[in-house]
Amino acid sequence: MEPFSITTLLVCFGGGILGGALGGLLSFVLCGLFVFSGCMIALAGGGDFMLSVVGFGPIFGPHVGGFAAGVAAANYAQGIRKNHPTGGAKDIIASLMPTSWDVLLVGGLFAVFGHLCNTWFASFMSGQDTIALTVLTSAFVSRAIFLRQSPFGNSESIKKFGLFGTDDTNLSWVPWMLPFSRMIMFAIGIGLVFGGVAMAIGDYAQAAGIASGTTKTAQVVIGWAIAAISLISLQLGTDTAQRVPVWHCQAILAGIAWVNFGSLAICAVAAVAGALVQELGARLFWNHGDTHVDPPAFGIAVVTCALNLLA
């Protein structure tokens, strides 16, 4: 698909409407399913359409309908239309279908914005995950436009609890990931597992004679896709069933680390770095805000850049 064709923009717009209707989290789970399907197609010797055009492209990538559109639509529903189903744009679990036509329109428009923004970033940024950067940019723009709030959130909350304060995790994004000891141990496990998965996929692709840029992408992102799909428990569960880890940041960084360095130890270090930077992003941009700014996207953007520079 040509990036600036009318067809591409219209399909992207439609994906944003769908993403807005589903809400941010469910649309992200669906994106994960598309990416996982694309990985399976690549490992069967097929093409990259599902992976690069649907799962990570203008049709339903996380920077368009597969997440960012739902976040922007929620921000508009809370800040402008005052019809968010649960009254809070941070609630990316809620479907926005019960709102109004213009909320869905905003989802479509922000999907197009995300596609154009990512295309622009990719034109001059090498060694960076421009999709993650676009997810952040879209969230900051919609927060500023619809709620007139800075990237750091509510100044009164910052004054009361401190920028890095969590009010004993009452403000925390995914508080069950804390304390740091548990977070780090979990990240080490993810780094080892999905570094190993990347290693196995690389060996398989070489032995099967299908090694290509697409199978290399599958090495990196298959853990990300599985982690995204696992968030269906957060979407549909209650109480303890809902308290699953959010680990797509750690998984994709482990894959990148293996491809760049071929070391499981570095995969574990990269996953731990992702977990810590993800928590930093939450404390900087999510905890005190009235809208969702995605901590995993911050972790992926920062640590991917570091890993690629070191490589």
Side-chain angles (χ1 to χ4, degrees):
M1 297 177 72
E2 292 296 324
F4 301 115
S5 72
I6 295 298
T7 299
T8 298
L9 297 179
L10 285 173
V11 171
C12 182
F13 178 72
I17 292 174
L18 173 59
L22 294 175
L25 184 59
L26 187 55
S27 62
F28 183 66
V29 172
L30 185 57
C31 175
L33 286 167
F34 287 139
V35 171
F36 184 75
S37 300
C39 290
M40 294 298 99
I41 292 168
L43 297 178
D48 70 340
F49 178 82
M50 183 64 73
L51 195 55
S52 63
V53 180
V54 181
F56 282 127
I59 294 180
F60 214 70
H63 58 304
V64 290
F67 183 66
V71 171
N75 293 351
Y76 174 82
Q78 178 184 336
I80 303 298
R81 274 303 243 132
K82 312 296 185 186
N83 64 356
H84 190 283
T86 61
K90 270 186 169 178
D91 180 4
I92 59 171
I93 294 176
S95 166
L96 300 176
M97 195 65 193
T99 56
S100 53
W101 69 270
D102 49 325
V103 172
L104 304 185
L105 172 67
V106 167
L109 293 175
F110 264 81
V112 174
F113 168 75
H115 169 63
L116 296 176
C117 186
N118 182 62
T119 303
W120 179 63
F121 283 150
S123 70
F124 66 90
M125 286 187 174
S126 59
Q128 177 58 282
D129 189 322
T130 57
I131 289 178
L133 189 59
T134 300
V135 169
L136 292 171
T137 301
S138 179
F140 286 136
V141 169
S142 62
R143 172 182 280 188
I145 293 175
F146 301 136
L147 284 100
R148 301 290 191 269
Q149 203 166 75
S150 81
F152 301 105
N154 188 309
S155 59
E156 292 302 316
S157 178
I158 294 171
K159 288 177 183 177
K160 183 175 181 180
F161 300 108
L163 180 59
F164 297 102
T166 66
D167 187 26
D168 195 25
T169 75
N170 289 318
L171 297 176
S172 289
W173 169 81
V174 195
W176 53 87
M177 294 283 284
L178 296 167
F180 284 104
S181 57
R182 185 167 61 213
M183 178 195 298
I184 290 169
M185 182 55 64
F186 176 76
I188 290 170
I190 296 300
L192 294 174
V193 168
F194 286 97
V197 168
M199 174 181 65
I201 288 175
D203 292 345
Y204 163 76
Q206 288 290 342
I210 59 170
S212 65
T214 306
T215 57
K216 187 175 180 179
T217 301
Q219 280 182 275
V220 170
V221 304
I222 191 167
W224 180 96
I226 294 169
I229 295 167
S230 76
L231 294 179
I232 193 68
S233 185
L234 181 59
Q235 176 75 34
L236 301 178
T238 57
D239 196 31
T240 56
Q242 194 176 38
R243 296 176 199 167
V244 294
V246 180
W247 51 284
H248 52 286
C249 169
Q250 296 92 310
I252 196 171
L253 294 173
I256 293 169
W258 177 262
V259 168
N260 284 0
F261 301 101
S263 164
L264 286 178
I266 296 178
C267 292
V269 170
V272 170
L276 294 175
V277 175
Q278 175 177 269
E279 179 63 20
L280 173 64
R283 296 189 184 207
L284 284 174
F285 308 121
W286 193 94
N287 288 4
H288 302 289
D290 293 333
T291 70
H292 183 91
V293 174
D294 199 52
F298 181 74
I300 292 169
V302 171
V303 182
T304 296
C305 185
L307 288 173
N308 288 336
L309 286 174
L310 290 171

